[in-house]
Amino acid sequence: MRVVTLLPSATEIVYALGVEPVGVSHECDHPPAAREKPSVNRSRVDPTAASGEINEQVAAAEEGDGVYAIDRETLAELDPDLVVTQGVCDVCAVDHVLVAEAVEELGLDADVLTLDVHSLDDLFESIHRVGAAVGRDDRAAELVADLRDRVAAVETTAKRAETRPRVAVLDWLDPVMVAGHWVPGMIETAGGTYGMEAAGAHSRPREWAEVREYDPEVLVAAPCGFDVAQTRENLADLTDRPGFDDLTAVREGRAYVMDGHHYVNRSGPRLVDTLEFLAALCQPDLFEAPPRDAVVELGTVRA
């Protein structure tokens, strides 16, 4: 089967199921083999710009032709049987409506599978749906069972926690956005308390005063699309805000930078890795520290 995946999480899912896509999105970089595949879309936003500049570019693109454009010539040449896209966020990846229009106008005999993940359970259901679409139901069941076992292990261990710290995960810095979707539920499973957003809700801009009032005991900066190095380049957007150094998380050395691009903001199988990393930040006495290429203490990055 010829499969095109238009978001990184879908690419990771199909590879995990033993299927190699014929085309991917411009952001697909895991596993490394995905980088060698033809890109079927492009972004109208410069991903290397500062966080405030990216926010302005996104706003301008949304008022124009949209954040993404599909390379229809490449899509036609690949002639897929299945195109996997998403309906979660039209800033994060190509919207399913745009994909369906392109498939129809090109006259392709391809099914369009739309993933809409807002929780870990949604992720597991998506893996089953992709497995059914590519004829890998058994492998999907095995993968989901393994992931569920790891989630259950985190949940069981986290129940031993004597306290549950207030946690805030930021998936953008300028403006400040508090992470929603799967993050609130994951924090609760990991042994923390997430009081700034409801489980499944969309991420949205927040006033900095709200963050200060909440006063997180654990703070995680994980901007969407930014790895640790790019977050470091933009860290002043957060650390220069009034009262930042007075936050409990900062004073107690529990403020962190996490790789948002590969972990927090990517709703593929590695979300369970993210859960394990978050558990280590919420309950460091109960879980092993996460790898330094994924999470670093903010004070270390800031120095």
Side-chain angles (χ1 to χ4, degrees), residues 196-220:
M196 291 199 71
E197 194 54 88
H202 287 268
S203 303
R204 59 192 175 98
R206 304 296 287 267
E207 295 294 333
W208 176 242
E210 295 179 78
V211 179
R212 291 184 63 183
E213 182 178 359
Y214 178 63
D215 189 24
E217 296 166 286
V218 176
L219 177 66
V220 181

Side-chain angles (χ1 to χ4, degrees), residues 97-127:
V97 174
L98 189 63
V99 175
E101 289 176 350
V103 168
E104 181 178 0
E105 291 173 8
L106 290 169
L108 300 177
D109 184 18
D111 292 325
V112 177
L113 177 60
T114 301
L115 306 183
D116 195 12
V117 176
H118 300 275
S119 67
L120 285 176
D121 282 340
D122 288 347
L123 166 62
F124 302 148
E125 176 62 24
S126 291
I127 293 173

Side-chain angles (χ1 to χ4, degrees), residues 119-121 123-124 143-159 185-191 268-276 279 287:
S119 67
L120 285 176
D121 282 340
L123 166 62
F124 302 148
L143 176 59
V144 170
D146 176 67
L147 295 174
R148 285 191 181 277
D149 285 346
R150 290 169 59 192
V151 172
V154 170
E155 189 170 24
T156 298
T157 300
K159 286 180 179 178
M186 289 170 62
I187 292 296
E188 296 290 339
T189 300
R270 288 191 294 169
L271 266 190
V272 177
D273 294 31
T274 306
L275 172 67
E276 293 166 345
F287 296 93

Side-chain angles (χ1 to χ4, degrees), residues 58 74 86 105 109 116 140 158 167 176 189 207 222 238 246 258 260:
V58 167
T74 299
Q86 60 89 41
E105 291 173 8
D109 184 18
D116 195 12
V167 181
V176 167
T189 300
E207 295 294 333
L238 178 64
D246 296 327
M258 185 178 288

Side-chain angles (χ1 to χ4, degrees), residues 13 34 38 47 130 142 168 208 240 268:
I13 289 172
V130 174
E142 293 173 0
W208 176 242
D240 285 354

Side-chain angles (χ1 to χ4, degrees), residues 7 14 48 70 104 115 129 146 161 165-166 174 190 195 200 203 232 259 261 274 281-282 286:
L7 66 160
V14 298
T48 65
I70 294 177
E104 181 178 0
L115 306 183
R129 291 177 63 210
D146 176 67
R166 296 185 307 277
D174 184 16
S203 303
R232 180 173 187 169
D259 184 339
H261 176 58
T274 306
L281 304 187
C282 292
L286 299 178

Side-chain angles (χ1 to χ4, degrees), residues 88-89 92 117-120 122 167-172 176-187 194-206 220 222 224 263-267 271 274 278:
V88 178
C89 174
C92 297
V117 176
H118 300 275
S119 67
L120 285 176
D122 288 347
V167 181
V169 179
L170 308 181
D171 62 8
W172 203 246
V176 167
M177 297 182 69
V178 174
H181 300 294
W182 45 84
V183 171
M186 289 170 62
I187 292 296
Y194 204 75
M196 291 199 71
E197 194 54 88
H202 287 268
S203 303
R204 59 192 175 98
R206 304 296 287 267
V220 181
C224 186
Y263 295 103
V264 181
N265 317 121
R266 186 175 296 195
S267 54
L271 266 190
T274 306
L278 291 170

